[in-house]
Amino acid sequence: MKNFLEELEWRGMLHSKIDGIEEKLNTGKVAGYIGFDPTAPSITIGNYVQIMLLKLFQLSGHQPIVLMGGATGRIGDPSGKDKERELKTTDELDENLAHQTTQFKHLLNFDEGENAAIMVNNLDFYQDMNVLEFLRVVGKTLTVNYMLQKDSVQNRLEAGISFTEFSYQLLQGYDYQCLFNKYACILQMGGSDQWGNILSGTEFIRRNLGEKAYAITTPLLTKADGTKFGKSTAGNIWLDAKMTSPYKFYQFWINADDADIPKFTRYFTLHSKEEIEARELEFASDPRELKRLLAEELTKRIHGEEAYQSVLKVSELLFGRNADREMLLSLSAGELETVANEIPTFQVKKDLFEEGINIADLLAQHTQILASKSEVRKAIQNNAITVNKEKITTHEAMVSVGDLLHGRYVMVENGKKNKCVLIAE
């Protein structure tokens, strides 16, 4: 069994902790939790830092609790925000929560062993509580002076903070108390921006139960250029294949800054310290291989072996020197759609293919691949044009419905670097 705190230390994932947690963790299995508000339709790679914390906690023999914020998601956490959040509808939050619950069950072990993970919805703590009971039971615990000292509040005083968001720390504090009572949960974890909210929870347990509770936070993960981790130039990296394809997910890691890879590897790999250090020594002069190994591990873990193999096929078709017609024909419709999302595409009416269309007309009149028929003829003479990886040798060649891959796609190349996909609609 791994030592959880030592594991966090070598990975650079320990920011703050309450003294005494070491002894508690060494006495045997401990229950600890992290809260996740379902304000987005899917978990993101940014959330995955905290999921890794729970994963490592479970692999160390302890019991992780995922607290879904069915209630807190309706309020909005002011932490890290310089203005009031726009509240989501209850239907939207419920849909998000249901989807994220399914995702979590893929990422942690909820089924086997004495330390199987537990899923809790904090809406259960509040849905039968009226406002007067909330004010007496929850609101009485912390003073306004105590709440005003929190950074998440201080940073918003000048711009303004609603009572709704001001009260967020009360809910998070009471959540901890409820989990302490029901599951003997003595540890709350989170990012360093959650330290104030987490301490509110330990204060709830101290004041209302006369017990000691603990906290651990991770540093906020940033890229080498100082920007927030978890986003690409195209936006969020989602852990949902429909929102971020496995190929784009893989490319996020492949395209990471070389300087970020040691940190990313420590945060996200499940390999041991010795394995990682040996790998970094072996590939000290080859950061591309270090990125590839991390991208492979994470793509398989998040999306599965089959999706990873699809990623390799798409990558080979787009960038490999040996991609041939046989490889292209082996691609599924979904893989071709991924290809189409990565290179220029042109919409072409399907009835043109059904009638059969001359290659010069197709490339010069119905797409913008080449500017004129004369340019098409010249490119064909120079052996530059291929359709579905077959060389076009005459300007009289016809492209027909039989050339549509999966009844929809045609891949056209003009030279080695200029690839595009025609989509028959």
Side-chain angles (χ1 to χ4, degrees), residues 375-423:
E375 285 193 17
V376 176
R377 293 191 184 97
K378 184 177 180 180
I380 291 172
Q381 289 172 356
N382 291 331
N383 291 320
I385 302 298
T386 65
V387 172
N388 291 339
K389 294 292 184 181
E390 279 192 329
K391 191 74 69 176
I392 300 298
T393 58
T394 171
H395 65 272
E396 296 179 352
M398 302 292 288
V399 183
S400 67
V401 70
D403 295 305
L404 296 178
L405 305 177
H406 296 282
R408 191 160 188 253
Y409 303 98
V410 177
M411 185 170 185
V412 176
E413 294 169 86
N414 178 20
K416 292 182 179 180
K417 295 184 178 180
N418 300 313
K419 298 180 176 69
C420 66
V421 171
L422 311 186
I423 302 177

Side-chain angles (χ1 to χ4, degrees), residues 137-177:
V137 174
V138 181
K140 194 72 173 170
T141 302
L142 301 181
T143 66
V144 170
N145 290 346
Y146 178 90
M147 295 171 68
L148 284 171
Q149 293 171 12
K150 303 303 181 186
D151 288 342
S152 60
V153 175
Q154 286 287 325
N155 295 337
R156 288 279 296 281
L157 286 179
E158 188 173 336
I161 182 170
S162 69
F163 178 76
T164 300
E165 289 196 4
F166 180 62
S167 66
Y168 186 93
Q169 62 179 291
L170 290 175
L171 273 70
Q172 187 167 339
Y174 186 65
D175 286 349
Y176 197 174
Q177 180 179 316

Side-chain angles (χ1 to χ4, degrees), residues 194-224:
Q194 287 295 310
W195 184 247
N197 287 342
I198 294 173
L199 290 185
S200 294
T202 63
E203 189 69 1
F204 260 78
I205 292 166
R206 184 187 71 83
R207 292 191 180 192
N208 295 336
L209 306 179
E211 299 282 357
K212 173 94 179 217
Y214 299 88
I216 287 175
T217 60
T218 58
L220 294 181
L221 183 55
T222 55
K223 299 179 184 179

Side-chain angles (χ1 to χ4, degrees), residues 58 86 139 168 182-183 233 252 274 280 331 336 364 391:
Q58 187 168 41
E86 184 176 330
Y168 186 93
K182 187 169 183 179
Y183 299 103
T233 53
F252 173 77
E274 292 73 24
E280 290 176 339
L331 296 185
L336 282 170
K391 191 74 69 176

